Amino acid sequence: MLKKLTIGMLLVSSTVFAKVSYEYAINIVGMSMDYKESENGVFLDSEESDFADLNGLEIQYKYIKQTETSQDFDTVSINIMAVGGNTEYKGAYIGSNLGYGSLVSITSNQIYDMEIDFAHTYEDRSSFTTTISLGVGYRFWRRKLSAQQIEDYTWFSLRPSVSFSYMYYDLRIAPKFEFQYGLGPRMSATGISDDFKLGSANIMEFTLPIKYAITQKFSLYAAYTYQYQKIEESNVVYDNTGTGYLEPESKAYNEYIKFGIVFKY
């Protein structure tokens, strides 16, 4: 009985003496894309853009919990990013023998990335922290090459990451390394009823965020993100005429620049 009472008191005390805070952030996003599909080392097509060509918004919510007896804290984050715009397509008409670059056009894009992340932060010293986290994410990319050819890439992912934060007066720099392991990646295409089952869809990501505190509750935010994305070749899928198609291997080198504001209370 005494043991149960002691455990209960510890649980209650840890809840009572926990310090809880919340953060809301909104960022303007610019994205640069360098995407290429290839087969046996030969380029088939590509998509390219500058930061001004693909742009959108990112919103973030953070729940932060810290006990009075420790400088460490736990965080639950929800991130939603939406980006849209045009890329320059280089490739060839399907079935032609003209090769890569014989066709140049504009592709319309919509990209959505959503994530819920669970993190624990260790405060090594007053100005240094280390954060270990595991997130679950979802990514959607609509690639509209023309009104008759629309491709939708979708997958869930597990996202482990580690970041290191350094605080200098009101300026915080926190480089972050993340790996996104794709789960069940697929691609659907206009005119083909079955989905292409992609061999894989993984992303390695490095982010360098900078936050400057104006007050205890208001900060300015800027970040640079570099992504390396690799999608492996899919299975063969057939259309109504019995013609077989596959989604070739692709690699993308994506960059993001973000500017925003953060509210904390």
Side-chain angles (χ1 to χ4, degrees):
M1 181 66 182
L2 181 60
K3 182 178 180 181
K4 291 182 179 179
L5 181 60
T6 302
I7 293 174
M9 291 176 65
L10 288 173
L11 289 173
V12 171
S13 63
S14 64
T15 303
V16 171
F17 295 106
K19 179 183 177 182
V20 174
S21 59
Y22 306 88
E23 277 190 10
Y24 294 91
I26 182 167
N27 302 313
I28 298 172
V29 181
M31 178 183 178
S32 170
M33 181 187 294
D34 181 4
Y35 169 89
K36 289 183 173 64
E37 294 182 356
S38 62
E39 186 175 23
N40 299 322
V42 178
F43 289 139
L44 300 177
D45 63 30
S46 64
E47 304 283 358
E48 294 184 355
S49 74
D50 293 325
F51 291 109
D53 300 324
L54 290 170
N55 47 73
L57 289 175
E58 179 185 58
I59 58 175
Q60 183 182 75
Y61 164 80
K62 281 187 179 182
Y63 170 85
I64 305 165
K65 181 179 178 182
Q66 180 180 23
T67 61
E68 295 289 349
T69 58
S70 174
Q71 294 299 313
D72 297 355
F73 56 90
D74 297 308
T75 306
V76 180
S77 303
I78 298 174
N79 302 281
I80 301 174
M81 183 181 69
V83 176
N86 296 328
T87 52
E88 183 184 64
Y89 171 86
K90 292 181 181 179
Y93 285 110
I94 295 176
S96 73
N97 296 316
L98 298 177
Y100 172 73
S102 60
L103 174 63
V104 178
S105 63
I106 298 297
T107 299
S108 175
N109 301 269
Q110 292 175 303
I111 299 172
Y112 300 99
D113 193 89
M114 292 165 277
E115 178 183 16
I116 181 168
D117 183 81
F118 305 89
H120 183 79
T121 298
Y122 303 88
E123 184 162 328
D124 303 322
R125 282 178 283 175
S126 59
S127 57
F128 290 94
T129 62
T130 302
T131 301
I132 306 294
S133 69
L134 177 63
V136 179
Y138 174 75
R139 192 170 182 87
F140 171 88
W141 175 26
R142 170 160 290 179
R143 185 184 178 202
K144 187 176 181 181
L145 294 102
S146 67
Q148 295 75 35
Q149 187 178 357
I150 300 174
E151 299 177 349
D152 288 344
Y153 298 78
T154 58
W155 65 85
F156 291 91
S157 58
L158 293 176
R159 304 183 179 186
S161 69
V162 58
S163 64
F164 306 93
S165 175
Y166 173 68
M167 187 77 176
Y168 182 75
Y169 292 98
D170 295 323
L171 186 69
R172 181 178 293 276
I173 302 173
K176 179 180 179 181
F177 303 87
E178 179 176 278
F179 178 71
Q180 301 180 15
Y181 177 74
L183 302 172
R186 293 174 178 269
M187 191 272 279
S188 62
T190 306
I192 300 177
S193 57
D194 293 330
D195 288 346
F196 293 84
K197 297 179 181 178
L198 305 174
S200 70
N202 301 325
I203 293 175
M204 289 185 288
E205 179 178 289
F206 168 74
T207 299
L208 183 62
I210 300 174
K211 185 188 293 186
Y212 181 76
I214 304 298
T215 68
Q216 289 186 342
K217 296 185 177 181
F218 176 72
S219 300
L220 299 179
Y221 178 86
Y224 168 79
T225 296
Y226 178 85
Q227 284 183 343
Y228 168 69
Q229 172 187 289
K230 183 177 181 181
I231 296 176
E232 292 187 355
E233 184 178 278
S234 74
N235 62 323
V236 177
V237 176
Y238 297 89
D239 64 13
N240 295 331
T241 66
T243 303
Y245 300 91
L246 61 78
E247 177 66 7
E249 177 182 285
S250 66
K251 296 179 181 180
Y253 304 89
N254 300 323
E255 297 177 90
Y256 301 82
I257 293 179
K258 304 176 183 180
F259 299 98
I261 53 177
V262 181
F263 299 94
K264 183 176 182 179
Y265 70 93

